[in-house]
Amino acid sequence: MDRSGDIEEAGEEEFPRLGGGRYRPVVAHDRAVIEMSSVEPGSSSSPTLKNIKVVTPGEMSAGAREGPRAEDGVNGHQKESKLELFGFDSLVNILGLKSMTGEQVAAPSSPRDGEDISITQGHPKPALKMGTMMGVFVPCLQNILGIIYYIRFTWIVGMAGIGQSLVLVLLCGLCTFLTTISLSAIATNGAMKGGGPYYLIGRALGPEVGISIGLCFFLGNAVAGALYVLGAVETFLKAFPAAGIFRETITKVNGTAIAEPIQSPNSHDLQIYGIIVTILLCFIVFGGVKMINRVAPAFLIPVLLSIFCIFIGMFLAKTDDPDAGITGLRFKSFRDNWSSAYQMTNDAGIPDPTGGTYWSFNELVGLFFPAVTGIMAGSNRSASLKDTQRSIPVGTLAATLTTTSLYVISVLFFGAVATRDKLLTDRLLTATVAWPWPVIVHVGIILSTLGAALQSLTGAPRLLAAIANDDILPILNYFKVADTSEPHIATLFTALICVGCVVIGNLDLITPTVTMFYLLCYSGVNLSCFLLDLLDAPSWRPRWKYHHWSLSFVGAALCIVIMFLISWSFTVVAIALASLIYKYVGLKGKAGDWGDGFKSAYFQLALRSLRSLGANQVHPKNWYPIPLVFCRPWGQLPENVPCHPKLADFANCMKKKGRGMSIFVDILDGDYYECAEEAKEACNKLATYIEYKRCEGVAEIVVAPNMTEGFRGIIQTMGLGNLKPNIVVMRYPEIWRRENLTEIPSTFVGIINDCITANKAVVIIKGLDEWPNEYQRQYGTIDLYWIVRDGGLMLLLSQLLLTKESFESCKIQLFCIAEEDSDAEALKADVKKFLYDLRMQAEVIVVTMKSWDIRSEGNSKEDSLEAFDAAQRRISDYLGEIKSQGSTPRLANGKAMVVNEQQVEKFLYTMLKLNSTILSYSRMAAVVLVSLPPPPLNHPAYFYMEYMDLLVENVPRMLIVRGYHRDVVTLFT
């Protein structure tokens, strides 16, 4: 026998390969012989795994006969596992790790010796992925650097002054910077799929919030694409008027000394050229990520070159050179332009005392803020990034800081290079001062807006496809795409929206709403990070460490403040649209659990509430019924129905305005190891049925050897602290006599005794098939036969029934059972005073019981006497059968049975009298509530069932109630 090999393993026929089949544990006759080879001189003193050889006796003999198999090689058969002791679950390997991320990876076939395993075997070649520069930084830079910088930024400096312009830039820049910090923290907290901000918000705040904000952000991107296209076309037509098909010149008086005509492109030209440009951009987007990567630098490089030429031109500018009003970089101009000059302007933005628009800081915030949007352009294409956890934080933050720094420097330079009149009247001052030719800025404007439009048309379809792929809204199923495919249908839909907005032409009313959608998305990102950071769940471990919940909170608050600064009316419109989408998703969307922050908040709140409740008894003012609904049918149920339908209806009747929780339980007889999967399936089925019945509750299935043991385990362990169930609800087993004379009575009585021992209240429903649902209105009375003190549970149940539509037309009658010689009037007055203090209205009726002598009741109803006589005969027959067995009769608990026939007759007669009283007073009642007598000691369960049958005889609908040793109502406020 070779002692130098690895652990010998059983053949494939005995121990299947890892990941397939079922692990067969070692049985008694498979004794393993562990041999340890001698330690070589100079080797470690402790034996290693390679020094150990495990051989069964059968293998020893087989090995001696056959010798080692050639195909096993040095290390044994390739398909066998050396860690079979741990079972057949997959070991930690690359396939298992990839499956944890949700990727569908097929296990490769077993390779031949020396071959490498390809983790992409059987899958198509993955799509091209982008890095930080081309995937995040360039798209963000293209989206942020837009037309506002070229044609409106100098005007903003002239209107607000250098000082307030710096405040404006820093305010908007701070908003996007804080949002970038929050975005970086969430994006580095795990693997990120497509959808960008939607994916982050949805996984943090839930699918409803994520989809509502995500769809608004999609609309914002789609409409923003139209804005950028129109800006590019307008600049092109102004730079090259001859290209216009339709010509229109509008002359307006500006604020300079000489009136100059201002030409505006015709709206039809904007529409025609806008549609053509949109179609061309869509063809680029249809080309996929590879085409976009080739085209994007062609749009960005001229933009950066134009900005460089603008700064060179400002350094070279002199007084009135290249145009009147240009001072060059002068401190005097800087000082004159430091303060603000808010004033009236005409529609073209030219100062005019008779103009119709007055500009203030708030309006400038709305005008400038689109110049800092675009920070989500990189995260929108998260599915196309190689490493989202590195690229999104680095690329987005670099683009944000770069553009903000550019804006701050531009404010200082623009304020020092020209007079205020020049800043306010020359809309293309950037082109005027550019070196060496103004056309460079025109090209920069056109390419910057086209680049921003390209990024919008690239990110918006991917955002819509990501929302559709989550399969929450069925209406979006048309936009689903595979992980490696381009969202062509979503791109076409985005292009249609963009073309529609281009055809409209005048987007002055839509533009603020687009800004609101961006701010709504930014506030959602900040709130997501705030919630996750504040809760600090174990799964919250972002790689980006420079974050704090206070920064996210300030960022979210700043977004909301800016929204109202821009326009409170458009803010209301944006929030209303998001709210409508939220409501629609709640009504029509499929349920999805993404482990969002709200669920974590609920969980932590529940834990804190549970700890604050403690283990002490709840005050009666704060007492809520928590019913444990026992679903054992004791009868036939419809097919595929795990619980009697009326049990859920009754559980709803025990809640006031739906507040409260029910626990539906059932017991599966059998061995836990054999029935575990069946129990899980039954639990899911029961939970689904409870949800279908619109009953707030949870489902539990317990596997036990028998029903008695299972129920005892449930009654002892179900619930936590003060959230344990306090009422056991079950159906009265009306079928016990024809189904099973032994098992059902024993189980039923055992459950009642267990509830009394565990100090749980009991409600038994007789006539469950006749219990009304929420649409069946009842009339008449709710009659209470209050025999024993139960802490007010029976009174409280009657009040809860009155809160339901089916019983709200009923009145309550309270019957007090008194002995014949008791003071009935005094008892009635005391009960009325008690009900008055409890704020309950009921008619009080006192019923006196006559003597126990059965012979004095000659006028009893004949049917009741027949039932009484039949019960006596059955009990006598039962006793005779037991005595005929010869042995001492014993109860289920092993104690000797002691039968007092006089006591049995007395109990039967008590039930007979109570039943006769109920039939006399409550034959037309909607429901009757009566106190539940405890099972007498040393009486067989069969006897107790006879007692109960006499009590419920001919009563169509009855609740048999037993309270527990505590009050559930109180007189005091």
Side-chain angles (χ1 to χ4, degrees), residues 897-910:
M897 182 190 305
V898 180
V899 179
N900 186 335
E901 296 186 6
Q902 185 178 359
Q903 190 181 41
V904 172
E905 184 177 342
K906 179 181 179 180
F907 289 166
L908 287 172
Y909 182 68
T910 300

Side-chain angles (χ1 to χ4, degrees), residues 205-223:
L205 300 181
E208 293 87 357
V209 179
I211 290 179
S212 59
I213 295 180
L215 287 178
C216 289
F217 191 58
F218 161 75
L219 290 176
N221 274 277
V223 178

Side-chain angles (χ1 to χ4, degrees), residues 3-26:
R3 298 175 181 266
S4 62
D6 291 10
I7 298 178
E8 272 194 22
E9 300 171 303
E12 232 180 56
E13 67 279 6
E14 293 181 356
F15 293 93
R17 75 185 69 169
L18 185 65
R22 182 184 294 273
Y23 171 69
R24 183 180 66 83
V26 178

Side-chain angles (χ1 to χ4, degrees), residues 171 191 196 262 284 324-325 349 421 479 507 573 577 582 718 768 809:
L171 177 68
I262 300 177
I284 297 175
D421 285 343
F479 305 111
L507 298 177
V573 170
L577 179 60
Y582 179 92
M718 189 67 67
L768 184 62
S809 301

Side-chain angles (χ1 to χ4, degrees), residues 259-479:
E260 297 177 356
I262 300 177
Q263 293 184 348
S264 298
N266 190 280
S267 60
H268 298 303
D269 288 337
L270 293 176
Q271 293 169 352
I272 293 174
Y273 280 101
I275 293 174
I276 294 174
V277 171
T278 303
I279 293 174
L280 292 176
L281 291 176
C282 284
F283 277 116
I284 297 175
V285 175
F286 271 108
V289 175
K290 190 174 182 180
M291 176 71 73
I292 295 171
N293 286 346
R294 291 177 178 176
V295 175
F299 285 105
L300 182 61
I301 292 175
V303 173
L304 299 178
L305 179 62
S306 67
I307 295 175
F308 177 75
C309 292
I310 291 172
F311 278 91
I312 293 296
M314 285 190 288
F315 276 109
L316 298 179
K318 299 177 182 179
T319 303
D320 295 332
D321 182 19
D323 200 359
I326 302 297
T327 64
L329 295 176
R330 297 288 185 270
F331 180 74
K332 183 179 183 302
S333 301
F334 186 91
R335 184 180 57 199
D336 293 340
N337 293 329
W338 177 262
S339 60
S340 62
Y342 298 118
Q343 53 190 296
M344 303 291 292
T345 66
N346 57 21
D347 293 339
I350 306 301
D352 187 353
T354 62
T357 305
Y358 179 80
W359 291 90
S360 65
F361 184 81
N362 292 359
E363 281 74 22
L364 292 183
V365 172
L367 178 63
F368 175 73
F369 193 83
V372 297
T373 59
I375 59 174
M376 299 294 177
S379 62
N380 281 347
R381 49 177 69 189
S382 55
S384 302
L385 298 176
K386 294 178 183 177
D387 185 359
T388 57
Q389 298 192 35
R390 181 183 182 276
S391 298
I392 290 179
V394 174
T396 307
L397 194 61
T400 302
L401 294 178
T402 300
T403 53
T404 304
S405 301
L406 173 65
Y407 291 153
V408 170
I409 296 173
S410 298
V411 168
L412 300 177
F413 276 70
F414 288 152
V417 80
T419 62
R420 189 180 297 273
D421 285 343
K422 188 64 176 176
L423 291 172
L424 291 174
T425 55
D426 192 349
R427 298 187 65 176
L428 282 174
L429 180 63
T430 53
T432 302
V433 300
W435 177 88
W437 307 288
V439 70
I440 294 178
V441 173
H442 293 154
V443 174
I445 294 174
I446 294 172
L447 293 182
S448 70
T449 49
L450 290 180
L454 178 65
Q455 299 303 330
S456 294
L457 292 176
T458 302
R462 284 163 171 75
L463 179 61
L464 182 61
I467 297 175
N469 285 342
D470 280 332
D471 200 22
I472 299 296
L473 279 181
I475 196 173
L476 300 179
N477 288 343
Y478 302 102
F479 305 111

Side-chain angles (χ1 to χ4, degrees), residues 87 183 196-197 208 275 290 327 332 362 380 402 499 549 556 628 630 647 750 791 802 808 830 893 965 969-970:
L183 175 67
E208 293 87 357
I275 293 174
K290 190 174 182 180
T327 64
K332 183 179 183 302
N362 292 359
N380 281 347
T402 300
V499 168
W549 64 264
L628 178 72
F630 190 43
L647 274 177
L802 286 181
E808 64 181 2
D830 290 343
N893 57 9
H965 300 152
V969 294
T970 179

